[in-house]
Amino acid sequence: MQTKKIINDGDRAVDEMLEGILAAHSRHLWSVDGSPRSIIARDGPRPGKVGLVIGGGSGHEPTFLGFVGKGLADAAAIGNVFASPPPDPILECIKAVSGGAGVLLMYGNYAGDVMNFDMAAEMAAMDDVEVRTVLTTDDVASAPRDQRQKRRGVAGNFFIFKAAGAACDRMLSFDEVERIARKANNHTFTMGAALSPCSLPQTRRPNFEIGADEMEIGMGIHGEPGIARCALKSADAIADEMLDKILAEMAPSRGDKVAVLVNSLGSTPLMELYIVNRRVKQRLDDIGVSVHATWVGNYCTSLEMAGVSVTLEHLDGELQAMLDHPCDCAMFRAG
């Protein structure tokens, strides 16, 4: 059975979405002539500043291009749905944001992204642009603790990109920007739970099957298998299961601070997200961990998948300052 979508042509969905986004957010964004998948911040790139390029497949909006703007990312390279952008639009992003201080590439740890961003970095190096890479690896369900380098990057991108973008905007050195980006990644932990599948615009067919009374803990944002499939649980039980795994790894002490993101995977409404956030706050209060800031809503989605993810960033003074640094993007503002 095919799903219902408000589209014209599945093969044109990404490009028509980008046309609509640029029409709505022309104050914040522009695209490179001849490279419409290279989305650049109008206010952000400048001489002497480390450039920050993010990117990945479409279907996760507002990740990635929604986080392009002053104080956050300078550009985003956009791929097809759930597919890495090819090297050329990435290279155009690098060229557009290079201010002579180097360019940092940040994206989720997926094989296609790694291959294409690495190729673009090599091409930029031939033009004497120094490029470095920090992969995001916040998904605690995707690999054991001692193999963190193999983990996927998911909704924690929100906090990790925010820290790196603030460091760039403060005109810190390339070494400092890279250090803060890696620190933010190492301090960020995400776990998700999916209730129903999504479908690609081209196929309009569910990308996995799950029973009407089932859920899956730890499923990835492209439908990658999770760590357990079970009967649908209550909101509190789902939040507890995700938090148990996050807190066991993060190991916060009483008096520590965190930032919280309760994220919809696409179709889960705010009512349900806030019920989950209620339980997250109760659990953190119980162990004496204070919440510095909370975001609830659609931040890293998987088309129309139903489900929720919880992300905690374990803050210290430096990471808190990066989180509080003002930014002004098409789909996110802070400060």
Side-chain angles (χ1 to χ4, degrees), residues 4-326:
K4 297 177 182 177
K5 289 186 179 291
I6 302 173
I7 57 175
N8 296 309
D9 177 348
D11 291 331
R12 288 276 306 151
V14 172
D15 292 312
E16 291 184 350
M17 173 192 72
L18 291 176
E19 290 176 19
I21 287 172
L22 290 172
H25 302 291
S26 59
R27 184 172 71 84
H28 290 91
L29 304 173
W30 61 279
S31 62
V32 174
D33 288 344
S35 184
R37 301 284 186 96
S38 304
I39 307 298
I40 316 299
R42 289 200 180 276
D43 188 2
R46 53 194 186 270
K49 173 184 172 297
V50 175
L52 176 60
V53 174
I54 62 175
S58 297
H60 306 301
E61 291 75 29
T63 299
F64 295 86
L65 76 178
F67 304 139
V68 173
K70 185 165 191 333
L72 223 155
D74 295 302
I78 306 302
N80 288 329
V81 176
F82 294 176
S84 170
D88 286 346
I90 303 169
L91 179 61
E92 292 302 321
C93 285
I94 294 171
K95 291 178 180 178
V97 308
S98 176
V103 175
L104 182 65
L105 304 181
M106 296 188 71
Y107 51 92
N109 185 25
Y110 300 93
D113 289 302
V114 171
M115 178 178 69
N116 288 339
F117 275 84
D118 280 354
M119 288 177 62
E122 292 171 4
M123 294 159 69
M126 291 189 287
D127 291 333
D128 296 322
V129 177
E130 183 182 3
V131 178
R132 302 181 192 176
T133 297
V134 173
L135 301 178
T136 60
T137 57
D138 58 294
D139 185 359
V140 301
S142 56
R145 188 181 316 189
D146 60 354
Q147 298 178 38
R148 171 142 195 171
Q149 75 280 3
K150 295 182 180 179
R151 288 179 172 174
R152 302 181 290 242
V154 286
N157 284 337
F158 172 73
F159 289 134
I160 302 163
F161 295 163
K162 179 72 179 68
C168 292
D169 197 46
R170 291 180 171 209
M171 305 294 285
L172 300 184
S173 70
F174 206 173
D175 287 344
E176 278 294 278
V177 169
E178 181 183 9
R179 180 188 64 79
I180 289 170
R182 294 190 186 282
K183 179 179 178 180
N185 182 63
N186 291 335
H187 282 238
T188 302
F189 307 86
T190 301
M191 175 73 75
L195 308 185
S196 71
C198 60
S199 59
L200 303 187
Q202 295 92 335
T203 65
R204 292 173 44 216
R205 296 188 185 281
N207 64 343
F208 63 88
E209 294 183 0
I210 190 167
D213 59 349
E214 290 183 321
M215 58 177 283
E216 187 154 342
I217 294 287
M219 178 167 284
I221 57 174
H222 309 100
E224 299 95 338
I227 55 177
R229 184 169 288 200
C230 58
L232 180 62
K233 299 179 180 180
S234 68
D236 285 1
I238 293 171
D240 285 345
E241 187 157 353
M242 293 189 290
L243 282 170
D244 286 345
K245 292 178 172 60
I246 290 172
L247 293 172
E249 184 158 330
M250 188 168 67
S253 301
R254 186 168 290 273
D256 283 0
K257 287 184 181 181
V258 297
V260 175
L261 172 65
V262 179
N263 170 64
S264 171
L265 296 182
S267 66
T268 297
L270 282 169
M271 175 185 286
E272 296 170 29
L273 300 181
Y274 279 109
I275 292 171
V276 170
N277 184 63
R278 160 192 163 277
R279 182 58 175 169
V280 171
K281 182 65 163 59
Q282 289 174 347
R283 287 289 305 274
L284 294 171
D285 286 346
D286 288 345
I287 60 173
V289 172
S290 64
V291 176
H292 174 67
T294 301
W295 286 269
V296 178
N298 287 36
Y299 289 87
C300 183
T301 61
S302 186
L303 294 169
E304 78 274 33
M305 186 184 291
V308 61
S309 65
V310 172
T311 303
L312 299 184
E313 183 181 23
H314 197 178
L315 297 174
D316 62 6
E318 181 175 56
L319 290 177
Q320 181 176 320
M322 297 300 129
L323 189 65
D324 292 343
H325 185 82

